[in-house]
Amino acid sequence: MFYVHMLLLLSIIFVGIRFGGIAFGLLGGLGVSILAFVFGIAPGNPPISVMLIILAVVAASATLEATGGLNLLVNYAERLLRKHPSKIVFLGPLCTYTLTVLVGTGHSVYPLLPVIYDVSIKKNIRPERPMAMATVASQMGITASPIAAAAAVVMATAATNNLDISLSSVLMVTIPATFTGVIIGCLWSLRRGKELAVDPEFQEQMKNEDFKAQLINEEMATADNQKFSKQSKTGLSIFLGGIATVVFIAMFGKDIGLLPEGVKTSVALQFLMLSVGALILLATKVDPKKVVKTNVFTAGMSAIIIIFGIAWMSDTIIAANKPYIISLVEDVVRAQPWTFAIAMFASSIFLKSQAAVLTIMLPLGFMLGIPAEVLIGTLPACYAYFFFPFYPSDLAAIQFDRAGTTKIGKYVLNHSFMIPGFIGVVSATLIGYSISTGILPIWGWAIAIVAIITAINLHMNRQPEVASI
């Protein structure tokens, strides 16, 4: 019956792909109903702890956006990009990565995409180089963020399985791993595609005056021309201070007695992030009605529904078929535990949420007896939905690139995001696994530094652009 149940799950996923968004969650609930009433299986446990953490984080981040603080953060990133346009291939992806780490969602990439395009095209740099990697980097930052849904899943799942996995032990692996993976992806992107001046496809389009006229938007407002209120600056200051506090308490709270006895870090994250939102609300007096209308709130609620339904269905199937699943893959996983990364990667191709992938796969990993350090090291592999170029941020990058260099290929899979995605994720997973399992313990940080220095040296030694477009 396991294969029948899996066929039902795959059917739910494929139908969910067709509709997108919260369809995964709604259809997951339908799947649980079918399993309960048709197959007579008792429903598993819905991921309540995970959803509560995401709710708290989304509430705080949405309050920040309502104050204008998120736009202010993007403004700072834009100033950096415009100040150093020749380094856009590196700085663009690094800015989107950093934004995700700070605010916990890859959807923060959207305001920066038109800026990255504008800086690139004015510098005669092929926009595809920074833009494709920028969308990949924005998603790679998820597992490196202390307040992202992925971190919530790791902490909640560890607590459920009575494992003492701290937030610091996770971030000490995921931050250097994903950061270095982004740098390696940027290095490859430096030379991707032809220079615009010698690209026959682009030059053919340049013969069209309408195409040529729309390449550069001279009326686009720059960062220096934008004004921000005291409310936005106050909101951003409190939010960043709140993140620092959350990380500090998660790392040292139990050791120095800040957390009461018996309070789990996953629970502390919930009330701390709600407190951050409350402090922003009280200090800025932002209208609460604006909070629920923000993009962060909408995206966050969608993520919760997706995780609720599809993870609940997966847990139901795993719980009902636990002995058979263990007998099926136990020998392979015990002999080669790193293969768990491949399973997560494959799952993520279809599940457009890293939190959803981890909610499904981590309990399975614990059930199979995979060591915690292996699970932590393979966390970067939970991002693979660049495989099909239909994720909103990928489509946005294609839309914003008016030069047409960022695109879906003739055969669909030969699109702009495939190779940088593979390079970034595979590199990050290999480095994360090496750091977490002790192959490269402290040297993980050194790798990141060496990669940065190498990237900068290679970039500075690049030949100048062939010619103006």
Side-chain angles (χ1 to χ4, degrees):
M1 292 304 295
F2 169 71
Y3 296 101
V4 177
H5 300 160
M6 286 303 298
L7 181 61
L8 175 62
L9 177 61
L10 291 175
S11 301
I12 291 291
I13 290 173
F14 279 114
V15 176
I17 291 174
R18 178 182 177 185
F19 286 95
I22 66 170
F24 281 108
L26 300 175
L27 290 166
L30 175 61
V32 174
S33 299
I34 294 174
L35 290 170
F37 294 115
V38 177
F39 295 96
I41 298 175
N45 299 314
I48 301 298
S49 296
V50 174
M51 293 191 294
L52 289 177
I53 295 175
I54 297 173
L55 270 172
V57 171
V58 166
S61 300
T63 307
L64 170 69
E65 184 180 358
T67 66
L70 182 56
N71 288 335
L72 177 60
L73 193 60
V74 171
N75 180 267
Y76 290 145
E78 181 181 349
R79 292 185 184 185
L80 177 65
L81 295 179
R82 294 195 183 279
K83 187 176 181 180
H84 304 282
S86 62
K87 297 178 176 60
I88 188 67
V89 178
F90 286 105
L91 292 181
L94 288 176
C95 282
T96 60
Y97 171 86
T98 304
L99 276 174
T100 297
V101 172
L102 290 177
V103 301
T105 173
H107 293 289
S108 57
V109 70
Y110 299 115
L112 273 185
L113 287 176
V115 176
I116 293 173
Y117 168 79
D118 190 60
V119 173
S120 301
I121 200 69
K122 288 179 178 176
K123 193 64 179 177
N124 300 332
I125 295 173
R126 187 181 183 88
E128 178 187 33
R129 293 172 180 173
M131 292 192 74
M133 192 61 216
T135 63
V136 169
S138 70
Q139 298 301 321
M140 288 180 64
I142 291 292
T143 52
S145 173
I147 62 171
V153 174
V154 175
M155 302 306 296
T157 307
T160 302
N161 289 270
N162 298 314
L163 293 174
D164 187 19
I165 297 178
S166 64
L167 182 62
S168 59
S169 65
V170 174
L171 297 181
M172 287 288 285
V173 173
T174 56
I175 290 178
T178 54
F179 184 80
T180 310
V182 170
I183 291 293
I184 294 173
C186 291
L187 277 170
W188 179 84
S189 298
L190 274 175
R191 295 288 186 179
R192 78 170 307 180
K194 296 181 179 180
E195 303 291 349
L196 294 178
V198 294
D199 184 342
E201 182 179 343
F202 178 78
Q203 290 300 321
E204 181 65 28
Q205 289 180 300
M206 286 291 284
K207 296 177 182 178
N208 185 323
E209 290 300 322
D210 291 335
F211 173 82
K212 189 174 181 179
Q214 58 85 45
L215 276 181
I216 297 177
N217 182 9
E218 298 293 352
E219 297 180 358
M220 182 176 180
T222 62
D224 294 333
N225 296 330
Q226 299 179 39
K227 303 298 181 182
F228 291 90
S229 65
K230 182 181 178 181
Q231 184 186 60
S232 61
K233 296 176 181 178
T234 302
L236 181 58
S237 299
I238 295 174
F239 185 79
L240 295 179
I243 293 177
T245 302
V246 167
V247 173
F248 179 82
I249 292 179
M251 293 176 67
F252 309 110
K254 291 183 179 179
D255 296 333
I256 62 178
L258 280 177
L259 281 179
E261 189 68 28
V263 176
K264 297 178 180 179
T265 304
S266 58
V267 176
L269 183 59
Q270 295 172 35
F271 60 73
L272 284 172
M273 289 310 298
L274 286 174
S275 300
V276 171
L279 290 175
I280 294 174
L281 187 72
L282 293 173
T284 63
K285 294 181 173 57
V286 63
D287 186 355
K289 293 180 181 179
K290 291 183 178 180
V291 176
V292 297
K293 295 179 180 179
T294 61
N295 294 327
V296 169
F297 190 87
T298 302
M301 292 305 104
S302 297
I304 290 172
I305 296 173
I306 291 171
I307 291 171
F308 187 17
I310 203 70
W312 195 0
M313 181 180 180
S314 300
D315 185 82
T316 301
I317 293 175
I318 291 172
N321 298 276
K322 183 176 179 179
Y324 181 73
I325 294 174
I326 293 177
S327 66
L328 195 65
V329 299
E330 185 176 24
D331 293 339
V332 175
V333 171
R334 289 188 185 280
Q336 304 291 343
W338 57 267
T339 55
F340 189 73
I342 299 176
M344 284 210 296
F345 187 90
S347 300
S348 182
I349 291 176
F350 302 103
L351 292 175
K352 307 296 185 179
S353 166
Q354 294 176 57
V357 172
L358 293 176
T359 304
I360 295 170
M361 297 301 295
L362 282 184
L364 180 60
F366 287 128
M367 183 183 75
L368 293 172
I370 299 176
E373 58 269 20
V374 173
L375 295 177
I376 294 174
T378 56
L379 285 178
C382 70
Y383 164 52
Y385 39 84
F386 62 82
F387 193 87
F388 295 113
F390 305 126
Y391 194 71
S393 58
D394 296 339
L395 295 176
I398 294 172
Q399 184 67 30
F400 282 123
D401 184 357
R402 296 195 294 273
T405 59
T406 309
K407 56 189 176 183
I408 298 174
K410 179 180 178 181
Y411 304 104
V412 181
L413 293 182
N414 59 328
H415 52 78
S416 296
F417 314 96
M418 180 67 85
I419 297 180
F422 264 114
I423 291 174
V425 172
V426 171
S427 300
T429 304
L430 291 174
I431 294 170
Y433 184 84
S434 299
I435 297 172
S436 185
T437 56
I439 299 175
L440 291 172
I442 301 177
W443 294 105
W445 294 97
I447 290 175
I449 296 174
V450 170
I452 294 171
I453 294 174
T454 303
I456 293 174
N457 286 336
L458 288 173
H459 188 57
M460 295 303 292
N461 292 329
R462 287 186 68 204
Q463 295 298 318
E465 296 295 330
V466 176
S468 172
I469 60 174

